[in-house]
Amino acid sequence: GCSEEAGGSSSGGSEAGACAPEDVTLVGQVRNESNPYEAAWLDGGDAFAEQVGLTQDRLTYDGDSTRQQEQISQLLAGDTECLVMNILPNGDSDTPPIVEGAEEAGAYLVTQWNKPADLNVADYDQWLSHITYNGVESGKQIGDALAEAIGGSGGIVALQGILDTGAAKDRFAGLEESLAANPDVELLDDQTANFSRDEALAVTKTLLTKHGDDLKGIWAANDDMALGALAALEQAGRTDVAVVGIDAVPDALTAIEDGTMTATVSSDGPWQGGIGLAIGFCVATGELAVEDIADEDRAWFAEQFLITGDNVGDFTSPEVDAADFECDNVFSRSQGAIS
Amino acid sequence: MTTHLQSQPDAQASAPVHALEVRGLVKHYPGVKALDGVDLVVHQNEVLGLAGENGAGKSTLLKALVGLVRPDAGEIWVRGEKVRLRSVVEAADHGIGMVFQEQSLVPNLTAAENIVLGSEGAGVRRGLYRWDTMRKLAQEQLDKIGSQIDPLARTDTLTFAERQMVEIAKVLRIEERTSHPPVIILDEPTSVLESAEIETLFTQVRRLREFASVIFVSHRLDEVLDVCDRVLVLRGGQSVGEVSTASAAPAELHRMMIGSTGSEDHYHDTAAERSDQPLQPRLVVKGLSGATFRDVDLDVHAGEIVGIVGVHGSGREDVCRALFGAEPIEAGEVTLDGDKLDLSGTRAACAAGVGYVPAERKIEGMVGPMSVADNMTLTKQKSRCSGPLVMPQKQATLVDKWIERLSIRTPHRGTAIQRLSGGNQQKVVLARWLVAGDIRLLLLDHPTRGLDIGARSEVYRLMRELANSGVATVLLADSLEEAIGMSDRIIVMSDGRATAEVGCPSGAKPTPLDLVKEMV
Amino acid sequence: MSLRDAGPPIALAVIFLLFALISPGFRTIGNVQNIMDAAAVLAVVTCGITFVLMMGSIDLSAPGVMGAAAIAVSLLVANNRNGNDWGLLGVLVAVLLAAALGCLSGLALVLLKVPSFMTTLGVSAVGLGVATLLFGGVQPNISDEMLRGWAIERFLGLAYLTWIAFGCVLIGWLIQCYSRLGRYAFAIGGAEEVLALSGVKVAPYKVAVFTLAGAFYGLAGVMVTSQLSAGLVQAGKGYDFAAITAAVVGGTLLTGGRGGILHSAVGVLLVTVLTNGLVQVGVSPYWQGGVQGLIVVAAVAAAVIPQRRRNQVTK
Amino acid sequence: MPVIALVVLLAALTIADPDFLTQRSLTAAVRTSAPLAVLAAGATLVVLCGGIDLSIAALCSLTTVLFAMWLPDLGGLTTLAAIGVAAAIGAVQGLAHVVLRIPSFIVTLGGMSIFSAVALVISDAGPIRIVDRDATKWLTLYVGGVVPMSFFVAVLVVAAISLVLKLTPLESFVRATGYSESAARLAGTPVDLVKVAAFTVSGACAGLAAIMLVSRNFSGSPTMADNLLLPAVAAIVVGGTAITGGHGSLWRSLVGALVITLLRVGLPIVGVPSAYEQILYGAIIVAAVALTLDRSKVLIIK
Ligand SMILES: Nc1ncnc2c1ncn2[C@@H]1O[C@H](COP(=O)(O)OP(=O)(O)OP(=O)(O)O)[C@@H](O)[C@H]1O
Ligand SMILES: Nc1ncnc2c1ncn2[C@@H]1O[C@H](COP(=O)(O)OP(=O)(O)OP(=O)(O)O)[C@@H](O)[C@H]1O
Ligand SMILES: [Mg+2]
Ligand SMILES: [Mg+2]
């Protein structure tokens, strides 16, 4: 006959706060270690783990949704008593099964970046928090910075990210808001370069020949694509085109310092890598109770900054600040609940 | 070549040693003992014939001589020196080269490259090709056999026979490779050649004898007796005797091969007792045109065997394929027993009771890794099925019956067909059309290619039997003699058109010469 | 050139003319230069893969090999991670590393008798692993003027990289026509078993072909690094299927024994013209992949029409 | 033979991390492997016929989207409808292959990008949540409390297809087509029909795999299965099926899928760092094939 259990030891969720600090298992999962942002994320996780005398298990799934699910279900099939997971879901649709799995197995979960809008964190006990940056806001901020850089009027093109991700859509929506506010800026073209530096290079070259001197600015949904666009501009010998991106990866900051790039928006990888583990650790060890977390702290936008030539010096060497991970401080960077 | 004529006196000085000697060679394959202690001696400047039934072990023996088969036991001596041959290159270094039974050219290379393949010599310097030199090297070989083939033609644009000539040119290169008088092995080189080409080949063989030794295999015993000095007969992997060609007759040779007396009447012509033909022919072809043939008319009555003869490129093969739905047609109408024959594909043809045995057995005729049984029942699945289900028992009984009926030498019905000797493979392919007993028209393209004389006789008997039971047969024969012997009527084709028709009734057969006159 | 080789060039011409008719931006000199530049990396990868396909094998190792070469070269020439400044020697070492990885595919194929599909897939994973190890979490950026110059400097309107690609095609063609390696690769695709009957040991040639292919991928990885001024682990992402598509569209058979470098070059141009043209014409990014797939299928279908014979095998 | 590879791998993982060999963990691994196994099994048929199907993953993604979109309207019929449509799409590819004589590699490569584009457009480039989970709930059950239903279904599918092949002449047809298409055709076997059927089954399997993925992810998404293409082909080859056609079986691919799944989830879980994980993965799949391939059946290794 059929049953709903996988048999064996069924675990209906662990008693919150029952874990001794040394029993906690910390897991950080990102796409891969071969890009600076996510590598820094995992390093931030390591830094936090060291702070509490533990080590972090680093998992990567190579941007492969199925593989992420596979790893998580395997992880949850092990000992989940005091498991804390800080997860970067590959896409919006990958979040629900992770949440359900954690809920059933009783592991503590914090997710970042991707979540379907209608999935409510407060409906769950083990899913402690969802953190993201306001993509619409970032898209708008750099859109405005770009408009300013080209003197308020002229043609721009947009390089979109992977089309079916929330981040790509939100950021593009932000650009559209910015365009509405700057009526003289015209969007000549939008193409996708899948968040990839290499693809952005090729697409930008083509757009440069297509639009020629009409093109005054390039809006890229992340810094990698912005850097690819910069390489294309350099090869075309164009110095009159402004470029903006999002993420504040080190190379982009250098480019802003050099003046070749106009603006980016900070997202603090090392902090993201630590904060998710910190929230989970605090709940697992009983220093924080799920019921006590305010509803607006269950799903929230983290603080972000527009970085331009004026303030770039403040961001060039991101440091993990141990104080951010104190149980009283874990929500200190909140910019409010996700609407 | 001149260099070798000079080296000849040395060779003769050491004449007492044999050019090649084999002692007690043994080779087992799973389920068969292909060689069972073969002894063989090849003298200097001699053409040694090798005869034996299909599967007697000829090819295996010869492959052992060029290092392609590692014998389980036994010794090989070359010019009085015991050798171990581990590869074709080592064999070539000892002056032994071979033309293989199955064609072995690289189709997408030029003839020149094929000729020098593996021993490019001056044709390649530091890994780089020197096309001029290579072409010259190849031309030298082709000149030896008087071939007009362009050395830079891609091999797959050549005809079957031309390719065979390239193979012979290739093996002749062994003359340049060693300073010893070479031993050249020809495994059934004539089975795909026309008579004119066979003559050229024999001239070569005789020329080779001047300074080298030759081992020659053919199932055409008259040929063997014609060109060889001595014939060694193999049976069941053993040497069973030796005949001096000066005295022997084909029948005697045949007797030694099978261990009993064969039938005198090869073509079973007298056995035929044809009933009166019905007025309406079974197959009627009107104005059939395709890429390589034009306006072909043809009719074949039930119970009749119609041969089509023609030189290479006459298009007769494509006509056959077209009738089987394997070649597109541009115009024409074909009826079978009055019903229009669907030529859109091979399925339709099979369903209508048409069978086709292609000439290129290895590629088109059989599925190598599949078993004998599965190959045999591949077309007529219903012969082994009950409803949609396969009945292994039914298949086993049926297949075993045909294995016995056609005396197919195979360890087991489950043996992969590619492990059988060429002749036995051919029998399986033929059997494929016979298992169901519902065939109406049989198109045979060189059905006896590679068959030994016994098997051949068996196939002829089968064709007669089928004809007597009412099957209409179109035959593209291996030789003019075969066409004459088997056919009731012969159509001559040239340049894609049917140009003449020669009656060929039992007792009033034309001579090959009559046909050749019609063909040119 | 026989009829069956004429299909792809005709398809290229037709597609080029169509885009030129529809889009004014497409038919500018600048855009044609851009197409040539954009084709450079793919052309070099395809040069390598063509030899493998000619043998009837397949090669999926480009992403890993290119990634490893890209990271390696960016750490060997002047960069922001260490004090190395090896210049051309660094490029050479990276290409050699790539060739070694290619050699590994070939060795696994002939020694372990594992199909190339698997050995190259495995080597790709190994290459990515090596690249990730070398990457170490910090993006290596190159400051080597020579290497950066390859992407920026122009000669006769085309980037140096494009001329390098031309050089590769030329060298590839010479290897294919005038070297034993090239001809044997072709022959192995035609009838491997026959070569053994002729006493040719095919194994060393197979290994050599995979090594050669690896070297081409390595150079392509270096070229990507030059274009981006940075060494990326993902430098070769997607180039495996793109190169196979280009080769096949150009008329190289996956079963081996037919086609060649010039065929592949036509295929590369066809694929690049398509990518460029669809952007120029303004096809929605959502549909671009689909339209490209459709056109590739249609182009191949049109190209095989003249060679259709009843009993011809298509795999 | 592939079973040996599986056992060796399992033993190695257990030595690396003794906790790995628990019933819960194995159940999870087996459950994980189900969609991959179904994808690989379907594509194995195409490979046996001598072709290749590169579209399975993209078709699977497209089907997850279709399923999610149709579920509210069709309810319980959605599963059948989705699998049916996937099968039909597979058949269309098969027809394009045999009628237009385009190599299967190209047809399915084209199919891959076309299906991706269609999925992207109809889903408006985003995941579609499934509210009514009853339609896929049966796949999340366990047989006898331990065997995940999805894996059970995968085994059932493999068994059913294998049995049909074995008991009917189809197996002969498929193998003959794979080993030597021209000989098969001249023997009058229905080569074209068999190939189209193989593509159809491959499509249907992609559809079924899609349902399994939806049952696991509670949504359909235009790129959900895209990354399963290479693992699926790897599963086929690791199982010992000859990529050149003719030799192999669906059972082998099932075991191959288990091997690949263990590698994908096992290595990181037992704590191999990601860079070394890739190197190990590469080395192990090659070694596994070296172990599983029956070289007496495949004379020339390309
Ligand atoms: N590779 C192989 N594996 C297994 N059995 C083989 C193999 N090659 C040959 N045999 C078997 O060895 C025996 C001798 O075969 P061989 O090819 O030498 O015969 P042959 O005398 O050349 O016949 P034919 O006249 O038909 O060419 C046959 O029974 C054949 O089935
Ligand atoms: N469709 C085609 N296009 C071009 N050449 C073709 C085509 N079909 C056949 N040929 C060539 O035409 C020639 C004649 O073919 P065919 O085999 O019918 O002659 P044949 O009389 O049967 O010769 P043989 O006695 O060797 O069997 C061959 O060289 C073949 O390669
Ligand atoms: Mg023989
Ligand atoms: Mg012929």
Side-chain angles (χ1 to χ4, degrees):
Chain A
C2 301
S3 68
E4 298 204 11
E5 270 310 318
S9 65
S10 75
S11 53
S14 51
E15 191 73 21
C19 296
E22 63 273 16
D23 291 341
V24 175
T25 313
L26 300 176
V27 175
Q29 190 195 39
V30 295
R31 296 195 180 94
N32 48 49
E33 289 194 56
S34 57
N35 84 56
Y37 165 71
E38 287 170 31
W41 164 310
L42 288 182
D43 290 343
D46 282 346
F48 169 76
E50 197 181 334
Q51 195 178 315
V52 295
L54 293 170
T55 53
Q56 174 196 224
D57 291 341
R58 301 161 68 115
L59 292 183
T60 57
Y61 54 86
D62 214 13
D64 174 347
S65 298
T66 25
R67 191 151 169 197
Q68 174 170 44
Q69 300 301 335
E70 292 168 10
Q71 280 181 6
I72 294 214
S73 50
Q74 203 64 38
L75 192 65
L76 295 175
D79 185 7
T80 54
E81 204 68 11
C82 298
L83 180 65
V84 170
M85 303 190 294
N86 180 29
I87 306 286
L88 166 52
N90 196 36
D92 286 359
S93 60
D94 299 308
T95 312
I98 297 175
V99 170
E100 304 268 341
E103 193 72 11
E104 193 178 313
Y108 302 100
L109 173 71
V110 175
T111 53
Q112 305 203 36
W113 283 118
N114 299 316
K115 167 182 95 62
D118 56 352
L119 198 65
N120 191 357
V121 186
D123 293 345
Y124 296 86
D125 295 328
Q126 301 296 127
W127 187 14
L128 308 176
S129 199
H130 177 80
I131 309 168
T132 189
Y133 292 99
N134 189 342
V136 181
E137 185 63 28
S138 347
K140 182 169 184 325
Q141 281 182 355
I142 59 165
D144 290 344
L146 184 65
E148 191 186 321
I150 61 173
S153 74
I156 63 165
V157 296
L159 298 180
Q160 291 221 55
I162 298 173
L163 291 173
D164 63 338
T165 59
K169 286 182 181 168
D170 286 350
R171 290 171 187 183
F172 191 69
L175 171 65
E176 282 173 334
E177 279 185 20
S178 160
L179 287 171
N182 296 284
D184 292 339
V185 177
E186 188 197 353
L187 182 64
L188 299 172
D189 221 321
D190 74 290
Q191 294 289 335
T192 176
N194 292 318
F195 287 135
S196 144
R197 196 154 161 170
D198 189 30
E199 286 183 45
L201 174 86
V203 172
T204 308
K205 278 184 169 176
T206 305
L207 291 176
L208 282 173
T209 55
K210 183 173 175 185
H211 300 291
D213 289 338
D214 295 343
L215 193 129
K216 297 278 188 271
I218 297 173
W219 178 97
N222 79 345
D223 280 346
D224 263 337
M225 293 193 292
L227 291 165
L230 281 179
L233 290 172
E234 186 177 11
Q235 282 159 36
R238 293 279 297 265
T239 51
D240 56 332
V241 180
V243 178
V244 294
I246 294 173
D247 278 351
V249 303
D251 289 348
L253 297 178
T254 318
I256 292 176
E257 268 183 324
D258 297 346
T260 49
M261 194 168 144
T262 304
T264 184
V265 171
S266 76
S267 42
D268 191 344
W271 174 79
Q272 286 183 282
I275 194 68
L277 296 180
I279 296 173
F281 183 80
C282 292
V283 176
T285 53
E287 289 192 52
L288 195 67
V290 188
E291 320 62 89
D292 295 345
I293 303 177
D295 269 1
E296 69 258 29
D297 285 339
R298 297 297 291 272
W300 46 286
F301 288 126
E303 194 177 11
Q304 59 183 345
F305 307 93
L306 181 71
I307 303 172
T308 61
D310 302 334
N311 61 351
V312 64
D314 307 340
F315 294 90
T316 36
S317 49
E319 288 281 314
V320 181
D321 183 356
D324 281 342
F325 302 146
E326 301 287 340
C327 289
D328 308 335
N329 274 349
V330 285
F331 300 111
S332 63
R333 288 205 191 179
S334 173
Q335 297 287 295
I338 297 173
S339 47
Chain B
M1 203 206 114
T2 46
T3 55
H4 290 282
L5 288 176
Q6 279 157 9
S7 70
Q8 214 180 312
D10 304 339
Q12 268 166 357
S14 57
V17 277
H18 304 305
L20 185 73
E21 188 173 352
V22 169
R23 296 181 192 157
L25 222 53
V26 175
K27 177 73 193 177
H28 291 274
Y29 283 115
V32 273
K33 212 168 194 184
L35 297 180
D36 189 9
V38 177
D39 298 317
L40 162 117
V41 170
V42 185
H43 301 296
Q44 213 70 257
N45 304 352
E46 170 190 55
V47 180
L48 173 69
L50 207 53
E53 289 182 282
N54 290 129
K58 303 178 296 294
S59 298
T60 310
L61 169 64
L62 300 178
K63 282 186 191 157
L65 295 180
V66 288
L68 283 173
V69 164
R70 299 270 178 88
D72 302 329
E75 295 172 356
I76 298 172
W77 294 68
V78 181
R79 282 178 298 278
E81 183 195 341
K82 188 177 164 193
V83 294
R84 281 189 62 201
L85 303 171
R86 276 158 304 194
S87 70
V88 180
V89 179
E90 282 186 13
D93 290 341
H94 285 103
I96 308 174
M98 172 159 166
V99 172
F100 297 96
Q101 179 174 4
E102 309 288 352
Q103 287 205 340
S104 51
L105 297 176
V106 184
N108 58 344
L109 291 187
T110 59
E113 282 170 288
N114 268 301
I115 289 170
V116 301
L117 192 65
S119 62
E120 287 88 349
V124 178
R125 273 280 163 271
R126 289 197 197 83
L128 296 182
Y129 264 40
R130 303 201 302 189
W131 279 103
D132 277 352
T133 318
M134 190 163 296
R135 190 192 142 124
K136 239 189 292 153
L137 290 174
Q139 191 67 57
E140 276 170 25
Q141 304 306 323
L142 289 169
D143 286 347
K144 286 183 192 169
I145 49 174
S147 169
Q148 300 298 312
I149 301 167
D150 172 13
L152 294 188
R154 265 176 68 130
T155 316
D156 54 7
T157 63
L158 303 177
T159 63
F160 219 82
E162 283 173 327
R163 280 185 259 158
Q164 189 71 18
M165 295 321 259
V166 173
E167 296 228 38
I168 292 162
K170 173 178 174 176
V171 76
L172 290 180
R173 225 177 112 63
I174 213 126
E175 292 177 42
E176 275 85 43
R177 260 182 92 164
T178 101
S179 54
H180 305 295
V183 177
I184 294 197
I185 300 170
L186 307 171
D187 191 358
E188 295 194 39
T190 53
S191 64
V192 294
L193 295 185
E194 303 282 320
S195 50
E197 293 150 347
I198 293 175
E199 256 331 296
T200 320
L201 177 71
F202 284 180
T203 316
Q204 276 312 300
V205 171
R206 292 186 186 106
R207 185 188 67 86
L208 281 170
R209 177 163 52 188
E210 300 292 306
F211 60 93
S213 311
V214 178
I215 304 180
F216 179 87
V217 181
S218 172
H219 287 298
R220 300 176 181 173
L221 299 180
D222 47 339
E223 275 174 16
V224 176
L225 293 174
D226 177 11
V227 76
C228 298
D229 300 311
R230 202 159 55 88
V231 183
L232 182 74
V233 180
L234 287 189
R235 191 189 330 141
Q238 289 174 323
S239 353
V240 292
E242 206 180 284
V243 189
S244 161
T245 53
S247 57
E252 187 186 346
L253 211 51
H254 187 208
R255 189 182 45 74
M256 288 179 73
M257 281 166 55
I258 59 171
S260 63
T261 325
S263 152
E264 280 298 311
D265 174 32
H266 203 58
Y267 298 113
H268 301 275
D269 192 26
T270 48
E273 32 175 287
R274 223 148 287 129
S275 51
D276 286 332
Q277 282 169 4
L279 290 173
Q280 179 67 31
R282 170 158 276 183
L283 173 76
V284 180
V285 179
K286 279 214 177 66
L288 196 68
S289 298
T292 53
F293 48 91
R294 279 275 135 238
D295 277 333
V296 175
D297 295 336
L298 175 72
D299 42 49
V300 185
H301 287 86
E304 191 183 27
I305 299 176
V306 174
I308 306 182
V309 301
V311 291
H312 285 306
S314 61
R316 56 183 182 148
E317 181 173 350
D318 287 344
V319 169
C320 263
R321 292 176 81 89
L323 292 177
F324 188 62
E327 189 69 36
I329 58 162
E330 288 154 10
E333 194 166 307
V334 179
T335 56
L336 191 65
D337 286 334
D339 301 325
K340 196 169 175 327
L341 188 60
D342 179 2
L343 297 181
S344 64
T346 54
R347 287 285 286 166
C350 287
V354 183
Y356 173 61
V357 174
E360 296 215 30
R361 175 180 63 231
K362 212 171 145 192
I363 307 163
E364 295 194 330
M366 62 185 214
V367 184
M370 278 176 44
S371 68
V372 168
D374 285 349
N375 266 286
M376 210 185 271
T377 52
L378 194 54
T379 304
K380 304 290 177 190
Q381 288 290 342
K382 63 174 184 291
S383 67
R384 65 160 178 160
C385 289
S386 141
L389 298 184
V390 174
M391 297 283 128
Q393 200 47 50
K394 189 171 173 189
Q395 178 181 22
T397 323
L398 181 75
V399 170
D400 284 348
K401 183 182 103 190
W402 281 96
I403 287 179
E404 196 185 322
R405 196 147 166 218
L406 303 185
S407 44
I408 298 171
R409 279 164 146 268
T410 171
H412 190 251
R413 75 182 97 85
T415 307
I417 190 173
Q418 64 192 0
R419 297 205 186 280
L420 264 54
S421 75
N424 286 305
Q425 291 170 353
Q426 184 71 6
K427 290 191 219 166
V428 176
V429 176
L430 263 171
R432 173 184 296 163
W433 299 106
L434 311 180
V435 288
D438 62 352
I439 198 89
R440 289 199 280 171
L441 169 67
L442 195 54
L443 308 162
L444 302 173
D445 191 356
H446 299 84
T448 56
R449 185 174 275 175
L451 262 60
D452 71 38
I453 184 165
R456 196 180 283 242
S457 185
E458 185 63 30
V459 170
Y460 295 147
R461 197 181 49 72
L462 247 149
M463 284 168 64
R464 287 272 181 242
E465 232 174 67
L466 288 168
N468 290 341
S469 71
V471 173
T473 308
V474 174
L475 170 70
L476 309 192
D478 227 9
S479 60
L480 289 180
E481 289 76 12
E482 181 178 297
I484 296 166
M486 289 307 299
S487 309
D488 300 314
R489 233 171 352 118
I490 292 179
I491 310 286
V492 180
M493 276 188 73
S494 79
D495 283 336
R497 286 169 193 279
T499 50
E501 185 177 322
V502 181
C504 203
S506 181
K509 298 278 187 191
T511 65
L513 214 60
D514 299 336
L515 282 182
V516 172
K517 266 188 234 142
E518 297 288 346
M519 282 162 69
V520 286
Chain C
M1 195 190 257
S2 69
L3 187 62
R4 68 188 198 177
D5 290 331
I10 293 175
L12 173 62
V14 168
I15 290 174
F16 190 92
L17 286 178
L18 270 180
F19 278 130
L21 276 179
I22 302 173
S23 156
F26 183 86
R27 51 179 184 253
T28 60
I29 296 284
N31 192 49
V32 174
Q33 283 171 357
N34 178 29
I35 289 174
M36 300 303 280
D37 286 351
V41 176
L42 184 59
V44 175
V45 179
T46 310
C47 273
I49 224 161
T50 301
F51 284 102
V52 178
L53 297 182
M54 251 164 28
M55 289 199 305
S57 297
I58 201 155
D59 195 342
L60 301 176
S61 67
V65 175
M66 286 174 74
I71 297 286
V73 77
S74 60
L75 291 175
L76 290 174
V77 300
N79 67 82
N80 64 336
R81 286 266 306 270
N82 55 33
N84 288 340
D85 185 8
W86 295 21
L88 256 187
L89 184 62
V91 172
L92 191 70
V93 172
V95 172
L96 285 181
L97 170 74
L101 283 170
C103 184
L104 206 61
S105 308
L107 285 176
L109 167 68
V110 303
L111 295 182
L112 300 178
K113 301 239 186 312
V114 170
S116 56
F117 191 99
M118 215 55 190
T119 67
T120 53
L121 201 62
V123 163
S124 185
V126 170
L128 287 175
V130 169
T132 310
L133 275 183
L134 293 174
F135 176 81
V138 181
Q139 179 70 62
N141 291 316
I142 58 168
S143 45
D144 185 281
E145 284 310 317
M146 173 215 52
L147 194 51
R148 298 192 52 176
W150 285 6
I152 298 165
E153 312 278 338
R154 284 167 183 281
F155 174 70
L156 296 181
L158 297 177
Y160 283 5
L161 287 181
T162 310
W163 290 107
I164 292 179
F166 275 124
C168 286
V169 171
L170 181 68
I171 291 173
W173 181 72
L174 289 176
I175 292 178
Q176 182 198 323
C177 295
Y178 290 99
S179 82
R180 174 144 48 185
L181 180 63
R183 293 303 293 178
Y184 277 12
F186 200 56
I188 290 172
E192 183 174 341
E193 64 287 355
V194 170
L195 287 179
L197 289 183
S198 302
V200 176
K201 289 207 170 57
V202 291
Y205 292 98
K206 285 188 166 182
V207 176
V209 163
F210 278 95
T211 310
L212 180 71
F216 275 115
Y217 306 153
L219 184 60
V222 171
M223 290 166 72
V224 173
T225 308
S226 158
Q227 285 182 334
L228 298 173
S229 311
L232 260 62
V233 177
Q234 291 91 347
K237 196 173 166 214
Y239 276 107
D240 46 355
F241 280 109
I244 295 174
T245 309
V248 173
V249 167
T252 296
L253 276 191
L254 284 171
T255 41
R258 231 191 70 205
I261 294 289
L262 295 184
H263 293 80
S264 293
V266 171
V268 168
L269 284 178
L270 213 152
V271 170
T272 317
V273 163
L274 260 182
T275 316
N276 179 288
L278 291 178
V279 173
Q280 291 284 1
V281 171
V283 173
S284 145
Y286 287 64
W287 279 115
Q288 273 173 24
V291 174
Q292 193 166 345
L294 208 60
I295 297 181
V296 164
V297 171
V300 173
V304 296
I305 286 177
Q307 18 168 322
R308 238 182 261 174
R309 291 200 63 193
R310 270 289 166 80
N311 200 35
Q312 180 191 307
V313 176
T314 30
K315 285 235 165 170
Chain D
M1 277 312 247
V3 177
I4 299 179
L6 182 63
V7 171
V8 170
L9 183 62
L10 203 57
L13 286 173
T14 311
I15 292 168
D17 180 357
D19 291 344
F20 194 79
L21 198 66
T22 63
Q23 179 251 315
R24 266 166 62 88
S25 161
L26 291 183
T27 299
V30 159
R31 189 171 100 106
T32 295
S33 72
L36 185 65
V38 173
L39 273 184
T44 304
L45 270 181
V46 179
V47 171
L48 283 178
C49 288
I52 192 154
D53 189 347
L54 299 177
S55 72
I56 42 174
L59 180 54
C60 183
S61 297
L62 173 61
T63 314
T64 65
V65 171
L66 294 178
F67 182 87
M69 288 174 69
W70 292 343
L71 187 58
D73 299 329
L74 295 182
L77 284 177
T78 322
T79 304
L80 284 182
I83 296 179
V85 166
I89 293 177
V92 169
Q93 290 192 97
L95 282 172
H97 167 55
V98 301
V99 174
L100 300 178
R101 300 287 171 105
I102 318 172
S104 56
F105 192 97
I106 293 295
V107 174
T108 56
L109 195 70
M112 176 164 105
S113 36
I114 295 168
F115 305 152
S116 287
V118 172
L120 211 56
V121 171
I122 63 173
S123 68
D124 205 12
I128 301 174
R129 293 279 305 287
I130 287 179
V131 192
D132 168 24
R133 291 187 189 169
D134 290 344
T136 58
K137 191 159 189 341
W138 62 282
L139 277 170
T140 61
L141 301 177
Y142 290 83
V143 180
V146 274
V147 182
M149 179 63 86
S150 51
F151 186 71
F152 184 74
V153 170
V155 173
L156 224 56
V157 166
V158 169
I161 300 176
S162 300
L163 211 63
V164 170
L165 285 181
K166 189 114 240 128
L167 295 182
T168 66
L170 278 174
E171 170 146 43
S172 286
F173 292 160
V174 168
R175 285 194 198 287
T177 305
Y179 279 129
S180 172
E181 188 180 321
S182 53
R185 207 181 284 277
L186 288 185
T189 57
V191 171
D192 290 344
L193 217 63
V194 165
K195 284 185 169 187
V196 174
F199 276 96
T200 311
V201 174
S202 181
C205 283
L208 178 59
I211 314 280
M212 292 181 172
L213 285 177
V214 171
S215 81
R216 203 160 85 182
N217 282 24
F218 317 119
S219 64
S221 133
T223 52
M224 183 171 280
D226 286 5
N227 284 305
L228 284 182
L229 172 60
L230 285 181
V233 183
I236 295 173
V237 184
V238 163
T241 293
I243 197 86
T244 42
H247 170 68
S249 77
L250 276 71
W251 290 111
R252 285 172 169 273
S253 300
L254 185 72
V255 181
L258 284 171
V259 170
I260 295 292
T261 305
L262 276 188
L263 283 176
R264 276 160 67 89
V265 301
L267 290 181
I269 296 296
V270 303
V272 180
S274 92
Y276 292 103
E277 179 200 327
Q278 288 181 316
I279 296 177
L280 265 181
Y281 176 81
I284 294 176
I285 51 173
V286 173
V289 178
L291 198 69
T292 52
L293 190 62
D294 178 0
R295 288 174 190 75
S296 68
K297 290 276 167 28
V298 190
L299 296 179
I300 290 183
I301 312 275
K302 284 288 186 185

